[in-house]
Amino acid sequence: MACLLLGAGLLALLTVTATGLSGTWDAIQHRDAPRTVAATQLNLALNDMDAQAANILLSSGDSGTGKGRLGESHTNANRIYKQAQETISSSLRTLGAASEGDKVTEDTVVALTDDFAQYQELVGRALENDEHPGGKDPARADYRRATDLLAQRLLPQARQLVDANDAVYEGEYDAAHSDLIIQITAEAVLGTLLLAALVVLQVHLARSFRRIFNPALFAATLCALVALVCGGQLLSTSADQLTIARHDSFDSVVALSRSKAIGYDANADESRFLLDATRRDALEKSFLDKSQQLYGLKDATLATYDDRLATTWDAYQRDHTDRQFTGEYRRELDNITFPGEREAAEKTVAAYAVYQKDDRTFRQLIAEGKVQEATVFCIGWASDTSNAHFGQWMKALDQVTAINSAHHDQAIATGRDAIGIKTPIAGGALLLAGLLLVLGLRARLAEFV
């Protein structure tokens, strides 16, 4: 009876565990990760949309006449602006539907939606003013109000949504991982007790009936051992894959997405710098602050940043324990886990360094009074422009993100496979063990009778 109860307890434990894990993977794959990604996309698209609004105004030429318009830059800025607008609308719908039942997040989505409508109205007015003769200054004023709204309300709200949804994922992981630690211990205890009980029963029957062993009972013991091993593999694999999904891969996905949004915002600061001469000092400081968020260098200024970056990066490449910098790229380089990830991350920092040098060229052109040349260098699409190098930086960054996203998806698939393969084997082995145990005891009892 004790063997049957232990077997039933182990079967119940594995059934409950498999059901819970299936629910956890469903929540991660269909709720937690997609919501967090939608929030990061919203954050990125807001920065991109504002940058493109500035680029439209910069490339439009004279208000009313369009004289001096930068055709390719103007067309591309309008196209990307509309794409970012659609991404924001889609992300808001996703987050709005997902926030039902969570009043704080729901209120944030509602406030962001309202503020985004006001932002679009201001930008729309700026673009409309720019189409009329003498409308450039009113357009700048409307854009200034729009970008203030972005900085003061929209971006903080978007970052709040990223943090809130990421925290939900972290909570799901913590709960599931804590349960698994308990379940691993319980499975080991129940499984060991079951094996011990079966061995004791085998010995007892051998002595009582003067038989070397009971074949059915021996087979039942083997089945219990298979169940114990498979159950242990289910639990350990699930714990490992949860860690890979949450911390090894998704932490990097969030950090890299955040760094991409910061990069877009820094790039937008260059366009704002060109568009709004009254705010150049503040925008130059803003650009440096964002650079420090990405690759932090203590006490660096724009004048010293390039040399400091080159020196610290060379030191890191010679010795990966020599990390004289902080920021999002340090966070990613501290979490290198997967094949090809380090190479892709280092390629990203190298592309970032090129973009930073372009920024100094851009500012030098403005200092020399070559504003039109600086504008073309900043928002043009030729291969030797800052805009092109920014695109290469973002492409390299996307490759690192893709590596981590792929391993996140693979961890979910591996976790689901463990449930689909190990659970039926362990459950079937336990049921077969119970049947063999009954048959073995029945044969001995029949002999006794």
Side-chain angles (χ1 to χ4, degrees):
M1 179 62 71
C3 293
L4 290 174
L5 288 175
L6 288 169
L10 184 56
L11 179 61
L13 173 66
L14 293 176
T15 301
V16 169
T17 298
T19 302
L21 285 170
S22 183
T24 296
W25 289 124
D26 282 343
I28 289 172
Q29 184 175 17
H30 301 300
R31 184 192 67 191
D32 301 338
R35 290 180 187 180
T36 306
V37 169
T40 62
Q41 289 174 340
L42 172 64
N43 188 29
L44 172 62
L46 284 167
N47 285 307
D48 196 14
M49 186 174 175
D50 196 65
Q52 299 311 319
N55 290 346
I56 291 170
L57 294 173
L58 283 171
S59 61
S60 63
D62 292 339
S63 296
T65 66
K67 184 180 179 181
R69 173 171 294 181
L70 303 175
E72 184 180 18
S73 296
H74 193 259
T75 299
N76 285 326
N78 273 285
R79 174 179 56 80
I80 299 171
Y81 176 89
K82 291 175 182 176
Q83 290 175 348
Q85 192 175 38
E86 291 171 0
T87 298
I88 294 168
S89 298
S90 175
S91 296
L92 285 173
R93 287 194 297 271
T94 298
L95 293 167
S99 66
E100 293 181 5
D102 182 346
K103 190 174 189 313
V104 174
T105 303
E106 189 173 0
D107 288 347
T108 302
V109 174
V110 170
L112 204 157
T113 302
D114 291 342
D115 289 337
F116 181 57
Q118 183 181 352
Y119 172 85
Q120 290 184 97
E121 181 180 349
L122 288 168
V123 172
R125 189 190 307 160
L127 298 179
E128 182 179 356
N129 283 331
D130 193 40
E131 294 177 355
H132 302 300
K136 189 68 78 176
D137 286 339
R140 288 192 185 96
D142 287 326
Y143 175 76
R144 188 180 299 124
R145 286 191 287 273
T147 199
D148 285 346
L149 178 63
L150 178 85
Q152 295 167 12
R153 294 183 60 83
L154 288 168
L155 290 181
Q157 290 165 346
R159 288 191 287 267
Q160 182 180 341
L161 288 175
V162 174
D163 293 341
N165 284 281
D166 195 40
V168 171
Y169 190 168
E170 181 68 19
E172 185 81 36
Y173 165 79
D174 286 341
H177 202 266
S178 296
D179 288 346
L180 278 170
I181 298 301
I182 296 171
Q183 289 159 350
I184 287 171
T185 303
E187 195 258 357
V189 170
L190 284 173
T192 301
L193 289 175
L194 175 59
L195 289 174
L198 288 168
V199 170
V200 169
L201 181 59
Q202 179 78 271
V203 172
H204 173 71
L205 291 177
R207 289 176 176 176
S208 299
F209 292 93
R210 296 183 177 85
R211 298 288 181 86
I212 297 176
F213 70 90
N214 184 313
L217 191 56
F218 180 74
T221 304
L222 290 178
C223 287
L225 180 60
V226 169
L228 177 61
V229 171
C230 287
Q233 290 174 340
L234 166 65
L235 295 168
S236 61
T237 298
S238 297
D240 290 343
Q241 297 308 312
L242 274 172
T243 300
I244 291 171
R246 172 59 223 178
H247 289 304
D248 292 346
S249 60
F250 203 75
D251 276 357
S252 289
V253 169
V254 173
L256 292 165
S257 298
R258 186 183 293 116
S259 72
K260 187 173 183 179
I262 295 170
Y264 268 80
D265 200 11
N267 194 49
D269 277 340
E270 290 186 337
S271 297
R272 297 169 189 138
F273 189 92
L274 280 168
L275 186 65
D276 193 350
T278 65
R279 291 187 170 186
R280 284 185 175 173
D281 288 344
L283 289 167
E284 185 172 284
K285 181 179 183 302
S286 177
F287 182 90
L288 177 60
D289 289 345
K290 286 157 192 167
S291 299
Q292 293 281 25
Q293 291 177 50
L294 294 171
Y295 191 104
L297 295 166
K298 187 177 180 180
D299 299 329
T301 64
L302 282 181
T304 63
Y305 190 89
D306 289 345
D307 289 341
R308 293 276 307 280
L309 190 159
T311 300
T312 57
W313 186 240
D314 285 344
Y316 172 79
Q317 289 189 303
R318 288 193 302 270
D319 179 3
H320 288 155
T321 64
D322 189 351
R323 299 167 181 174
Q324 304 173 46
F325 55 93
T326 60
E328 297 296 340
Y329 291 145
R330 166 68 183 272
R331 185 174 290 109
E332 164 57 18
L333 289 164
D334 284 347
N335 194 38
I336 296 296
T337 311
F338 308 113
E341 185 178 4
R342 182 177 298 281
E343 293 79 0
E346 292 182 356
K347 182 179 177 182
T348 299
V349 177
Y352 169 74
V354 172
Y355 175 77
Q356 283 289 335
K357 289 181 180 179
D358 284 347
D359 177 76
R360 261 43 102 211
T361 300
F362 160 75
R363 295 181 196 281
Q364 182 62 34
L365 288 171
I366 294 177
E368 294 172 357
K370 301 175 182 177
V371 176
Q372 182 65 13
E373 190 175 339
T375 302
V376 173
F377 183 68
C378 179
I379 67 174
W381 286 79
S383 60
D384 58 347
T385 62
S386 172
N387 199 34
H389 294 155
F390 175 78
Q392 292 168 6
W393 169 29
M394 291 297 106
K395 183 179 179 181
L397 182 58
D398 287 343
Q399 289 174 347
V400 192
T401 306
I403 289 171
N404 284 278
S405 295
H407 282 278
H408 181 263
D409 294 343
Q410 183 58 50
I412 294 173
T414 302
R416 289 191 180 280
D417 287 345
I419 298 171
I421 296 172
K422 300 300 181 182
T423 305
I425 293 175
L430 285 171
L431 291 174
L432 182 57
L435 177 61
L436 290 168
L437 176 61
V438 171
L439 291 175
L441 291 176
R442 183 179 179 184
R444 295 289 79 81
L445 290 173
E447 287 184 20
F448 180 76
V449 174

